[in-house]
Amino acid sequence: MQCYTQLTPPTAVTHSLSLPFLSPSANNLIVAKTSLLQIFSVKSIITNASTPFDIPSVLVKDLTAHEGQNGAQTPVLRSDQSVQGVEKAHTTKLVLVAQYDLSGTVTSLARVKILHTKSGGEAILVALRDAKLSLVEWDPERYNIATISIHMYEQESIRSPWEPDLGKTISHLSVDPSSRCAALKYSEKHVAIIPFRQARDDLVMDDYDPEFDSGLDPTVSPTKAENEGKAKEKSPYDSSFTLSLLALDPSLSHPLHFVFLHEYREPTIGILSSHLANSVALQPERRDTLSYTVFTLDLEQRASTTLLSVNKLPNDLFAIIPLPLPVGGALLVGTNALIHVDQAGKTNGVAVNSFAKTSTSFALSDQADLRLRLEYCVIEQLGSDNRELLIILSNGELAILTFKIDGRSVSGLSVRTDLHYGGNVVLAGASCASLIGRGRMFVGSERADSIVLGWSRKSDKAKRQKPRAIIDDNDSYDPTLELVELEEDDIEDDEDDLYSPTIPDDKASAATLLPLTDDNGDYIFRAHDSLQNVGPLRDIALRKRPETQDGRNSGESTRLELMATDCCGKAGGLTIFQRDMEPNLVDGYDISDADRIWSVSARLISKGVTAKAANGHSETEHDKYIIASKIGTTGKDHLIVYKPASSGLQEVTNTEFDPDAGATVEVGTLNNGTRIVLVSQSEVRTFDADLGLVQIFPMTDDATGAEPQVISAHFSDPYVLLIRDDQSLMVLRVEENGDLDEVEQGAGVLENEWVSGSLYEDSNDVLRLEESAGSDDSDDEVGNVLLFLLSNGGGLQIYRLPSLTKPIYVAHGLSFLPPFLSPEFTVRRSSAREILVEIVVAELGDAIHKSPFLIVRSEDNQLYVYQPYHSPSQERSQDKALRFLKITTSYLPSVAPDEAYKDEEDKAGKPMRPLRVIQDLDNYSTVFMPGETPSFIIKSASTPPFLIRMRSGPIRSLSRLDIPKYEKGFIFIDEEGSAHAAQLPSESSYSTGWVTRRIHLGEEAQYLDYHQGQDSYVLGMSRMSDFKLSVDEKSLEPAKEDTTLTPQIEQGSIQLLDRKTWSVIDSRELDHGEVIMCIKTMSLEISEQTHERQDLIVVGTAVIRGEDLPQIGRVYIFAIIDVVPEPGIPQTGRKFKLIIKEELKGAVTAVSPIGSQGFLMVAQGQKCLVRGLKEDGTLLPVAFIDMQCYVTVVKELKGTSMCLIADAIKGVWLTGYYEEPYQIRLFSKSPQHIEAIAADFLPDGKQLYIIVADADSNIHILQFDPD
């Protein structure tokens, strides 16, 4: 039973994979984040090379598209678009296609080429914990992943009874490069083999000879041609089988790693293993015990043949990396050395630190001066035809491994670290790496943000510059443009050779002729894009913001702010989580009793110049007018026009603008911004840019004489849609002369009843709907505007304007909110129908990528988001191929509609406040919902849409505000009728569904707590330092070792962080080898006579010493005092003051306040003691309880003296603390042993529950029931 929900989706990337998944020519990146599977497409844009990769300066308008290979649209920079002084470069961005929650933890990903996938692309093998495999393909019909097969091996009975459980072992998946089979190692010594059916064998067809096989087609296998119809009916895989590694070779008793190798006619596997158990203590006796063995598999006979074996390899090897041509063979990776083994068994190795000399007798070339640590490193090839590999170390440093090639064999290896970086590229260790294009690699990490890493070479740039300089002697040379052209060519060429298993012989021979080293061939690395990671979260602290005078922060959830420690190493820092978005109020305007507000960007055109001709020469203009609607004492609307100025807003008078024209519904612009259109309930008025009246269009029906009232309006140049209270509609179109004219409606539009509608300009033909029957060539320019209508029966109809005679798309089931909406949708009996009141079609996204979405609003103010997509079925017409996929949003408003607003609007005869489409709001295209719970729908290129609530109280109206003083902001009317100018909070991210802000510290923060009295955070920091023997260990000092690679241990420090400036204002370094185990701010008694209490900071530490000395710890108690601040830095007026420093036997792993007398409980070693602070600066123990192994948590249930103590091995104990006399009594224990990592009380009324998280990521709910 799942009794909880996650606050944020997983963000730490564990696995990644690059393949053509959505189509045969696609370039997709698959990312696994523990239990979340994400599918990305790769997009190239033009940015400033020096622009940070998070929000780049995008020049999308300067991109032209040309048909690349495979019909792909590739953006290129025209030669006349270079900008002097600003370096432009192609930047690769990730665009999220879809994401899915999986029922399990992903342990491996692999790509497989199978027969007849639904999309034509490749499939994915997903390995999960407990020996489970899923074969997944992309289903374009449903725009979703589809599971082809599920394979489970957890019930296999061939495992020995003394082998560990599957949950304790790591499953490893490897796939043959030619996709002939896959192997899953699911226990210590067992492998499951899954054969895949293939229509042709690439290696066999490479032997095609036109002299002897002239009658055959080399691209089509004869077997495939004969059995094509039967193959479609067969499954893409054959029956799987399991075998023991000992059946392959009895010496494989301790396997470490295995992979399939390249360039073999049959599936061939390389296994790294040992015939003896590896042990550091037995290093002198068991030296060089590893072996590398290559086996070829016969899938039909289920047999194997040993091809080669390399013995007496170093014991520190842990991984095999298969290498395609031009290198070939396999690379064995160890902690101290790298060894290459070719197909003939020839070995070449290189030592990267001084430990390799003492740990192995294997022949290695010496590069010990590099002092590299290869533990947990990730190695990836720099290109499909590149003989260099990128090494990403565990601390984020990069290195290049180069192979020396003589002829067709490898003669040596060399590693270099003198690389050039464009700023901080990789800040922490990587978990995976995938090549996504030429010069582009995705680097996933569990310890820092995952990035798209790009690189270029100076030597390649120089080679491109030289011929251009010779040819264009008279032209000015632009090195920036040359760099852009180089990288774009790389991107184009990469689509062909990225996935090819081999390269032509001429390219292979040319690669061997390249010089081995080049002084000008250094790599220049640059981060192109990133995926936010907020883990690993080691500690959190809650802060309650003070309630404001206007009561905007009255809700408990809106007042809470969560601070968490995240990332590791140089990427370490803090992340602030807020449930709601708090805008930056930049200005307040003297506008009172306002009900609605609009900003208008209007421009004048020269006399004799049409608006169409002037549109191509216009630049983005700021807002010229602010129009506010006020409700007077008589209940009627009164319009006031303001003009932005440096001093604020100035009221505009002496115009033809009638402030008492009637209740205003909407204000917009048409005719390329030259006409201001004001829609009231009874008429539509147009004005020029100087507010001169141009036209009045009444709502009177000439046939019946009725005067229906307009309730909503939508603009899309040159059209305006009007929905009226009699559920009829009217579409007006602006002509070349600037006048409005009604678009003729067909019988279907006139006879239907319409609830809502929306206009969308499909300029890029994303929806790909066919032209309406009545369109002609004169309407080509305006034929991109689509009209979406919601009927009274809950159906969706789409028209392509200007034709309103026949819909081009009809779907009748929208009111049932199906997961897939299509014209073929049929209603089920159990389907519930929602009452829908509004639809909006708008683009959501950021400056990198935008796409249209259908947003549906129900009667209870719930928002539902649909993403349009095209089904590729050839049997359907264009209008039936369009479908809508329902997107699950993580958070929706849960309150009922605002009754106060509803009553007020009913009195005034107004509709509910409509959704507002806002373009370019701080580079976001978003939709805003006003009302009691004002919210933005925000989406970035790499995230799904999230609904973010705005913390400002109820909002009556909101509009975009773009003026020179505040660009790309917004202006809103609060519940009091006052106007405020605001901007989205700077440095905030919405990628998790929360409003987060990252504070980079440059080192790892492990613990923190909030000090409410000083409004500051206390941080427990950690960094790595060289190990040194302490004074007590000098007598145990061993003989001098000839090594320059000293061990690394953690070094702790305490920092005081100011919450307003987010700067460190004080710091205390701990002793060498002393690390922080816990930090807690608590109210302690500081006087035994007066019983005065003070908020103090208690820090528990442990001192790292050798195993021959007993463990010690210390308790620090600090106070934060006020001091004289440094000149010009007022936040430095606070410092730490040490009250107590006491050394204890055993590490201090947990502290907690306890009782009513201001005492604290300290977990030291295997005891928990209650201590009191004495006036002489010591801690007096008053009670204790003996624990078992290692105490991880001590928590008190406030006001009860009940204490929860968690042990890392034995489970949890519930105890009670008594003050008369002082003692601790055991109440209860957990019924079974739990490896408790975190625990807390969970009271519910009179019931007491305890929640525990164990080391296997399981949550246990325990109940204390003494009866």
Side-chain angles (χ1 to χ4, degrees):
M1 179 184 70
Q2 181 171 326
C3 58
Y4 69 95
T5 182
Q6 60 186 15
L7 296 181
T8 66
T11 58
V13 174
T14 56
H15 302 83
S16 64
L17 183 66
S18 178
L19 79 164
F21 187 60
L22 301 184
S23 67
S25 60
N27 184 12
N28 298 119
L29 175 70
I30 311 299
V31 170
K33 299 178 178 179
T34 311
S35 60
L36 181 68
L37 190 70
Q38 293 183 318
I39 304 172
F40 293 93
S41 61
V42 180
K43 181 178 182 180
S44 179
I45 62 175
I46 304 294
T47 64
N48 296 335
S50 59
T51 301
F53 55 80
D54 50 355
I55 304 179
S57 174
V58 186
L59 303 178
V60 179
K61 295 183 179 179
D62 292 340
L63 290 176
T64 58
H66 76 280
E67 285 288 331
Q69 299 183 14
N70 299 327
Q73 293 286 337
T74 306
V76 296
L77 183 68
R78 298 195 300 266
S79 59
D80 58 345
Q81 293 174 344
S82 60
V83 182
Q84 289 185 345
V86 180
E87 185 175 357
K88 305 297 178 183
H90 279 271
T91 301
T92 300
K93 298 291 182 179
L94 299 178
V95 178
L96 181 67
V97 177
Q99 67 178 26
Y100 306 96
D101 291 318
L102 305 180
S103 300
T105 301
V106 178
T107 59
S108 295
L109 292 176
R111 53 184 291 187
V112 183
K113 294 180 181 178
I114 62 174
L115 296 175
H116 310 297
T117 59
K118 296 180 180 180
S119 65
E122 299 184 11
I124 304 174
L125 263 178
V126 182
L128 304 175
R129 290 182 60 181
D130 300 331
K132 296 183 178 66
L133 269 180
S134 293
L135 183 61
V136 177
E137 67 175 341
W138 179 253
D139 185 3
E141 188 79 10
R142 299 180 63 84
Y143 207 75
N144 200 344
I145 58 175
T147 302
I148 301 175
S149 62
I150 299 176
H151 308 266
M152 295 181 292
Y153 303 96
E154 56 183 343
Q155 301 298 330
E156 294 292 336
S157 59
I158 61 176
R159 291 187 291 112
S160 300
W162 53 81
E163 287 188 3
D165 295 336
L166 291 177
K168 303 296 183 180
T169 60
I170 300 176
S171 300
H172 177 68
L173 175 67
S174 183
V175 175
D176 175 58
S178 299
S179 298
R180 291 166 289 193
C181 66
L184 175 69
K185 178 180 172 294
Y186 61 90
S187 68
E188 286 191 343
K189 302 173 185 178
H190 293 89
V191 176
I193 306 295
I194 306 175
F196 294 102
R197 296 189 175 98
Q198 297 295 333
R200 56 187 290 268
D201 191 332
D202 293 336
L203 293 175
V204 173
M205 296 308 297
D206 285 343
D207 295 336
Y208 171 80
D209 191 339
E211 295 183 2
F212 299 95
D213 302 328
S214 57
L216 298 178
D217 185 356
T219 61
V220 180
S221 170
T223 305
K224 177 183 177 182
E226 296 173 1
N227 302 324
E228 182 177 1
K230 297 181 180 180
K232 292 184 178 180
E233 300 177 359
K234 295 182 179 179
S235 63
Y237 57 92
D238 206 344
S239 298
S240 64
F241 58 93
T242 61
L243 54 87
S244 172
L245 291 177
L246 297 178
L248 297 178
D249 194 325
S251 64
L252 302 179
S253 57
H254 298 84
L256 296 179
H257 197 232
F258 79 96
V259 294
F260 281 95
L261 303 179
H262 294 268
E263 310 305 326
Y264 284 92
R265 292 181 177 273
E266 297 295 334
T268 304
I269 191 171
I271 301 178
L272 183 65
S273 65
S274 173
H275 64 282
L276 297 174
N278 201 354
S279 173
V280 178
L282 299 176
Q283 181 74 17
E285 290 77 15
R286 298 182 179 180
R287 187 184 182 92
D288 296 340
T289 60
L290 295 187
S291 300
Y292 171 69
T293 312
V294 177
F295 300 91
T296 181
L297 302 179
D298 189 343
L299 300 180
E300 295 183 358
Q301 301 297 328
R302 298 186 178 182
S304 64
T305 304
T306 304
L307 298 184
L308 63 90
S309 180
V310 181
N311 301 318
K312 295 185 178 182
L313 294 173
N315 289 349
D316 59 358
L317 298 179
F318 59 87
I320 309 172
I321 298 178
L323 300 176
L325 291 180
V327 179
L331 179 68
L332 309 183
V333 184
T335 58
N336 306 314
L338 298 169
I339 300 175
H340 177 264
V341 182
D342 63 9
Q343 293 184 351
K346 179 183 175 183
T347 60
N348 292 277
V350 57
V352 296
N353 58 49
S354 58
F355 282 106
K357 184 186 304 182
T358 59
S359 62
T360 181
S361 300
F362 194 85
L364 301 170
S365 60
D366 189 12
Q367 282 191 279
D369 56 331
L370 295 176
R371 303 175 60 187
L372 299 182
R373 307 170 191 265
L374 298 182
E375 297 93 340
Y376 308 107
C377 71
V378 173
I379 301 179
E380 182 67 27
Q381 197 169 2
L382 286 173
S384 58
D385 57 350
N386 198 321
R387 57 190 177 125
E388 294 182 320
L389 276 67
L390 178 66
I391 304 175
I392 306 174
L393 302 179
S394 59
N395 59 357
E397 296 181 0
L398 305 181
I400 298 294
L401 173 63
T402 304
F403 294 92
K404 301 177 183 178
I405 300 178
D406 292 336
R408 302 183 69 90
S409 64
V410 176
S411 61
L413 288 73
S414 63
V415 181
R416 56 193 176 96
T417 58
D418 53 339
L419 308 177
H420 299 274
Y421 306 92
N424 293 325
V425 180
V426 183
L427 298 180
S431 59
C432 56
S434 300
L435 199 67
I436 59 175
R438 185 180 293 272
R440 305 292 186 269
M441 180 187 298
F442 175 78
V443 179
S445 178
E446 298 180 80
R447 299 160 55 87
D449 291 347
S450 301
I451 66 171
V452 175
L453 184 65
W455 63 87
S456 59
R457 300 194 69 170
K458 292 182 179 179
S459 60
D460 293 338
K461 181 179 175 181
K463 293 176 183 179
R464 303 289 292 236
Q465 291 175 357
K466 184 176 180 180
R468 169 145 186 181
I470 296 175
I471 296 174
D472 301 332
D473 292 335
N474 299 325
D475 297 338
S476 60
Y477 175 66
D478 185 1
T480 302
L481 182 60
E482 194 65 43
L483 176 62
V484 173
E485 292 177 352
L486 168 66
E487 294 186 351
E488 180 58 37
D489 290 341
D490 292 341
I491 296 172
E492 295 174 14
D493 297 340
D494 183 73
E495 293 182 359
D496 288 337
D497 60 7
L498 177 59
Y499 305 109
S500 59
T502 62
I503 65 173
D505 294 338
D506 56 347
K507 289 188 178 181
S509 60
T512 61
L513 298 177
L514 290 176
L516 177 62
T517 59
D518 189 352
D519 294 338
N520 295 325
D522 295 336
Y523 285 93
I524 303 175
F525 291 94
R526 181 170 67 94
H528 289 222
D529 199 2
S530 69
L531 300 180
Q532 184 185 14
N533 178 22
V534 296
L537 299 179
R538 295 179 179 83
D539 199 6
I540 62 173
L542 292 175
R543 169 184 171 269
K544 184 177 292 186
R545 290 185 298 272
E547 185 174 351
T548 57
Q549 295 181 355
D550 54 6
R552 291 181 183 176
N553 292 341
S554 57
E556 288 295 325
S557 61
T558 63
R559 294 177 58 189
L560 288 179
E561 176 183 276
L562 188 147
M563 173 81 80
T565 62
D566 66 350
C567 298
C568 303
K570 294 181 294 184
L574 305 172
T575 298
I576 305 171
F577 292 86
Q578 294 180 349
R579 178 71 274 182
D580 305 325
M581 188 246 317
E582 185 174 5
N584 294 332
L585 300 180
V586 295
D587 205 347
Y589 297 125
D590 189 15
I591 301 178
S592 58
D593 299 329
D595 184 66
R596 299 191 182 187
I597 197 164
W598 300 269
S599 62
V600 178
S601 176
R603 58 190 179 89
L604 291 170
I605 58 175
S606 302
K607 191 174 183 179
V609 179
T610 62
K612 177 181 177 181
N615 184 43
H617 304 282
S618 64
E619 298 180 355
T620 303
E621 297 182 356
H622 295 291
D623 294 332
K624 190 173 183 180
Y625 299 110
I626 304 295
I627 301 176
S629 173
K630 296 185 177 182
I631 299 179
T633 56
T634 59
K636 295 184 178 180
D637 276 5
H638 181 74
L639 293 181
I640 302 178
V641 181
Y642 299 92
K643 193 170 186 178
S646 58
S647 59
L649 297 181
Q650 297 179 356
E651 186 174 349
V652 179
T653 58
N654 300 324
T655 65
E656 298 181 10
F657 197 84
D658 186 5
D660 300 320
T664 304
V665 176
E666 193 64 64
V667 178
T669 60
L670 293 177
N671 204 27
N672 295 322
T674 61
R675 288 290 185 266
I676 301 175
V677 181
L678 188 147
V679 180
S680 62
Q681 291 182 347
S682 58
E683 62 187 11
V684 178
R685 298 192 176 199
T686 62
F687 302 85
D688 58 18
D690 291 331
L691 296 181
L693 183 62
V694 176
Q695 183 185 8
I696 299 178
F697 198 100
M699 289 295 103
T700 305
D701 191 343
D702 296 335
T704 62
E707 296 182 358
Q709 302 287 306
V710 178
I711 59 175
S712 66
H714 295 265
F715 289 88
S716 181
D717 205 1
Y719 300 98
V720 55
L721 168 67
L722 308 176
I723 303 294
R724 300 184 286 193
D725 58 359
D726 61 351
Q727 295 188 334
S728 64
L729 65 86
M730 176 182 291
V731 178
L732 303 180
R733 174 180 177 179
V734 63
E735 303 295 341
E736 289 290 338
N737 57 3
D739 293 338
L740 294 177
D741 192 11
E742 183 177 359
V743 177
E744 184 178 354
Q745 303 179 22
V749 177
L750 293 173
E751 295 172 359
N752 258 318
E753 295 181 345
W754 309 106
V755 176
S756 179
S758 179
L759 295 175
Y760 172 70
E761 184 179 2
D762 190 14
S763 57
N764 296 324
D765 198 21
V766 176
L767 302 181
R768 288 182 286 173
L769 291 172
E770 62 183 5
E771 296 287 342
S772 58
S775 62
D776 51 27
D777 295 337
S778 61
D779 296 328
D780 287 345
E781 183 181 353
V782 294
N784 294 326
V785 179
L786 301 178
L787 171 61
F788 291 75
L789 293 176
L790 174 65
S791 66
N792 193 25
L796 176 67
Q797 294 189 16
I798 304 177
Y799 294 82
R800 183 180 292 276
L801 298 180
S803 175
L804 288 176
T805 57
K806 182 180 179 182
I808 59 176
Y809 183 86
V810 178
H812 295 291
L814 181 59
S815 60
F816 295 94
L817 301 175
F820 292 92
L821 178 65
S822 66
E824 295 90 355
F825 173 76
T826 56
V827 181
R828 298 180 180 179
R829 292 184 178 180
S830 59
S831 300
R833 181 175 177 179
E834 289 280 348
I835 300 178
L836 306 182
V837 297
E838 187 178 5
I839 62 170
V840 168
V841 179
E843 288 187 341
L844 298 178
D846 53 13
I848 298 171
H849 179 76
K850 302 175 185 177
S851 57
F853 287 84
L854 171 64
I855 302 170
V856 182
R857 186 179 184 181
S858 64
E859 189 182 33
D860 57 354
N861 260 3
Q862 300 290 320
L863 296 183
Y864 304 91
V865 181
Y866 281 85
Q867 178 183 0
Y869 71 95
H870 236 256
S871 173
S873 176
Q874 301 294 333
E875 301 177 356
R876 294 187 179 89
S877 59
Q878 289 287 341
D879 58 334
K880 301 214 173 176
L882 179 64
R883 295 187 171 190
F884 294 87
L885 173 66
K886 188 177 181 181
I887 304 297
T888 302
T889 54
S890 61
Y891 172 73
L892 293 174
S894 58
V895 299
D898 185 6
E899 298 297 334
Y901 281 148
K902 194 172 181 180
D903 294 341
E904 178 185 337
E905 290 168 350
D906 289 342
K907 292 179 182 178
K910 297 182 181 179
M912 294 180 62
R913 301 179 185 275
L915 301 175
R916 182 65 58 89
V917 178
I918 304 176
Q919 299 293 335
D920 198 13
L921 178 61
D922 194 16
N923 292 325
Y924 287 102
S925 295
T926 179
V927 173
F928 177 77
M929 181 180 70
E932 186 69 21
T933 57
S935 306
F936 285 99
I937 302 178
I938 295 180
K939 182 188 183 304
S940 62
S942 58
T943 64
F946 292 106
L947 200 141
I948 306 296
R949 190 167 62 183
M950 182 174 168
R951 187 191 307 119
S952 59
I955 291 181
R956 296 183 177 182
S957 180
L958 182 144
S959 180
R960 180 176 179 268
L961 180 64
D962 190 2
I963 59 178
K965 191 176 181 181
Y966 313 116
E967 292 186 345
K968 298 182 179 181
F970 57 93
I971 185 172
F972 66 92
I973 304 297
D974 61 15
E975 61 179 339
E976 303 296 333
S978 301
H980 303 273
Q983 291 178 326
L984 294 182
S986 60
E987 303 178 2
S988 293
S989 174
Y990 313 96
S991 60
T992 61
W994 289 61
V995 182
T996 61
R997 180 181 176 181
R998 181 76 183 279
I999 302 170
H1000 181 68
L1001 300 176
E1003 57 182 288
E1004 191 173 313
Q1006 294 190 336
Y1007 299 95
L1008 82 160
D1009 203 7
Y1010 176 67
H1011 194 287
Q1012 185 174 3
Q1014 296 290 344
D1015 195 19
S1016 302
Y1017 286 93
V1018 183
L1019 309 178
M1021 310 299 295
S1022 174
R1023 70 176 186 275
M1024 302 305 294
S1025 62
D1026 293 336
F1027 175 76
K1028 298 178 183 179
L1029 291 174
S1030 64
V1031 177
D1032 298 333
E1033 296 170 312
K1034 290 297 183 181
S1035 59
L1036 306 175
E1037 184 175 358
K1040 294 289 185 179
E1041 291 183 344
D1042 185 16
T1043 178
T1044 58
L1045 194 66
T1046 57
Q1048 298 280 305
I1049 61 172
E1050 293 185 44
Q1051 173 66 45
S1053 64
I1054 305 170
Q1055 295 182 358
L1056 183 62
L1057 183 72
D1058 180 60
R1059 198 198 63 83
K1060 295 181 180 179
T1061 61
W1062 301 116
S1063 59
V1064 177
I1065 56 179
D1066 195 15
S1067 179
R1068 289 291 183 95
E1069 288 287 335
L1070 301 182
D1071 293 343
H1072 177 74
E1074 188 174 7
V1075 296
I1076 297 176
M1077 306 298 293
C1078 54
I1079 288 181
K1080 187 71 175 179
T1081 301
M1082 57 186 74
S1083 178
L1084 299 179
E1085 184 181 277
I1086 60 175
S1087 175
E1088 298 176 87
Q1089 284 76 28
T1090 62
H1091 302 290
E1092 180 185 357
R1093 291 195 179 190
Q1094 184 180 355
D1095 288 339
L1096 300 176
I1097 302 164
V1098 181
V1099 180
T1101 68
V1103 180
I1104 300 176
R1105 306 199 297 178
E1107 59 183 8
D1108 299 321
L1109 295 176
Q1111 182 71 278
I1112 63 172
R1114 296 189 180 102
V1115 173
Y1116 296 85
I1117 297 182
F1118 293 93
I1120 302 178
I1121 61 174
D1122 295 330
V1123 297
V1124 178
E1126 298 179 11
I1129 313 178
Q1131 64 268 20
T1132 58
R1134 290 161 290 175
K1135 295 290 183 182
F1136 284 123
K1137 180 183 178 181
L1138 180 62
I1139 304 297
I1140 286 180
K1141 175 183 177 182
E1142 184 168 334
E1143 185 172 306
L1144 305 175
K1145 293 181 179 180
V1148 180
T1149 57
V1151 295
S1152 173
I1154 193 167
S1156 60
Q1157 298 178 342
F1159 291 174
L1160 73 152
M1161 177 177 281
V1162 179
Q1164 56 181 81
Q1166 296 177 331
K1167 291 181 180 292
C1168 287
L1169 291 87
V1170 177
R1171 294 174 175 268
L1173 179 61
K1174 298 180 64 177
E1175 294 184 356
D1176 60 356
T1178 60
L1179 290 173
L1180 176 65
V1182 297
F1184 75 96
I1185 185 173
D1186 289 321
M1187 296 301 297
Q1188 296 289 324
C1189 299
Y1190 178 83
V1191 177
T1192 57
V1193 177
V1194 173
K1195 291 279 181 72
E1196 182 205 21
L1197 184 59
K1198 191 174 182 179
T1200 64
S1201 294
M1202 299 180 68
C1203 187
L1204 177 67
I1205 305 175
D1207 191 282
I1209 303 298
K1210 298 298 183 179
V1212 294
W1213 292 13
L1214 181 62
T1215 63
Y1217 168 65
Y1218 294 86
E1219 296 178 348
E1220 293 183 2
Y1222 293 119
Q1223 58 179 326
I1224 302 176
R1225 293 182 182 178
L1226 177 64
F1227 288 167
S1228 179
K1229 294 182 180 180
S1230 56
Q1232 70 273 359
H1233 290 173
I1234 302 175
E1235 298 182 30
I1237 303 300
D1240 207 341
F1241 288 102
L1242 198 66
D1244 181 20
K1246 295 184 178 181
Q1247 302 294 325
L1248 180 59
Y1249 298 91
I1250 297 172
I1251 182 169
V1252 184
D1254 65 11
D1256 290 331
S1257 302
N1258 299 317
I1259 293 181
H1260 305 260
I1261 305 294
L1262 310 176
Q1263 183 181 8
F1264 176 62
D1265 188 4
D1267 298 331

